[in-house]
Amino acid sequence: VLMPGDPLRAKFIAEEFLTDARLVNQVRGMLAYTGLYKGKEVTVMASGMGMPSIGIYSYELYTQYDVENIIRIGSAGSYTDKAKLFDVVLAAGAVSESNYARVQSGFEGDITLPSQSLNDKLRASAAKQGIPLIEGNIHSSDVFYRQPSDAKPTYWEKLRDERGCLCVEMESFALFANAQVLGKNAACLLTISDSFVAPEITTAEQRQTSFTNMMKVALGAEY
């Protein structure tokens, strides 16, 4: 999770993008560091997996640490041949079957939206660096493994064809919900790591070393 320009600072996962990293704080045991990217202080920290996890950390960052902007970066499984391995996806909305937002704030919808101002900054950063972005809705799922089903079309084909979901991840619906409730900004950039429509999957080494474009886009956004 990137939080450029905020009082809480953090260390970036890829050391080549940050220098002079140092521990400054921790939120519920999650380490927070500071570092510089092209002279700009940037905060980076992990959030754990799933909507309860990012729901806790993002809410506390927004309310207790004066954070205004959170950009989620992560991996995703593609639902379409339009989003191929290593492509970078900018979320236009997060569709979910989760009841997180209903329980948290009474929101009854099944899609939450990112900050348009943050998305505009990410588009500008990507264009400046010549990094292509694929934009569309994403599916934020509560479930990582589903029991096999013979239903046709499949649940993910329905999400793709009826809701425009390009891929699946597990956090952004809750992050966007918190930002909307608190009047803050949130966005999400994802790298395609595997595919539901093609026999493609990245290795652990590739995930560690080849997912840099979404990081460059997030770090290059102007604030």
Side-chain angles (χ1 to χ4, degrees):
V1 177
L2 296 166
M3 295 158 284
D6 289 312
L8 181 64
R9 313 299 183 195
K11 180 182 180 182
F12 196 63
I13 299 169
E15 292 291 345
E16 63 266 33
F17 294 123
L18 279 184
T19 59
D20 302 323
R22 64 187 184 278
L23 173 68
V24 297
N25 212 324
Q26 52 185 324
V27 181
R28 290 190 179 271
M30 286 293 198
L31 299 181
Y33 295 83
T34 188
L36 298 178
Y37 177 74
K38 297 184 177 179
K40 177 176 65 179
E41 287 186 330
V42 179
T43 297
V44 182
M45 68 180 292
S47 67
M49 178 178 282
M51 279 178 268
S53 180
I54 202 169
I56 292 170
Y57 294 120
S58 63
Y59 193 91
E60 292 186 350
L61 288 167
Y62 283 140
T63 60
Q64 299 179 29
Y65 294 88
D66 298 321
V67 169
E68 293 294 325
N69 306 301
I70 295 178
I71 302 171
R72 162 164 157 67
I73 59 173
S75 60
S78 175
Y79 283 166
T80 171
D81 56 10
K82 297 178 182 177
K84 297 179 173 59
L85 223 59
F86 302 112
D87 283 349
V88 179
V89 173
L90 176 64
V95 177
S96 185
E97 65 278 10
S98 171
N99 64 0
Y100 175 90
R102 180 179 61 80
V103 174
Q104 197 271 348
S105 63
F107 177 73
E108 295 291 346
D110 65 352
I111 182 170
T112 55
L113 303 176
S115 161
Q116 292 308 306
S117 63
L118 264 187
N119 272 13
D120 287 343
K121 290 179 172 68
L122 293 171
R123 291 187 193 100
S125 173
K128 184 177 181 179
Q129 299 179 74
I131 298 173
L133 294 180
I134 300 172
E135 296 190 38
N137 287 341
I138 62 174
H139 175 209
S140 293
S141 181
D142 274 334
V143 178
F144 191 84
Y145 295 110
R146 293 185 183 235
Q147 284 296 94
S149 171
D150 294 328
K152 294 294 182 182
T154 64
Y155 74 91
W156 60 266
E157 288 172 327
K158 290 181 179 179
L159 286 162
R160 178 194 63 197
D161 298 338
E162 298 175 10
R163 306 303 302 276
C165 291
L166 299 172
C167 58
V168 59
E169 51 88 72
M170 300 186 72
E171 285 85 27
S172 294
F173 180 82
L175 172 62
F176 295 170
N178 279 353
Q180 289 174 11
V181 167
L182 298 171
K184 303 289 187 174
N185 300 311
C188 174
L189 287 165
L190 301 166
T191 299
I192 299 300
S193 60
D194 52 271
S195 174
F196 282 65
V197 296
E200 299 179 309
I201 190 168
T202 55
T203 66
E205 181 179 1
Q206 286 174 320
R207 293 183 188 219
Q208 182 176 343
T209 61
S210 303
F211 283 18
T212 56
N213 277 346
M214 66 178 173
M215 302 173 193
K216 291 177 180 178
V217 172
L219 287 167
E222 297 294 333
Y223 296 89

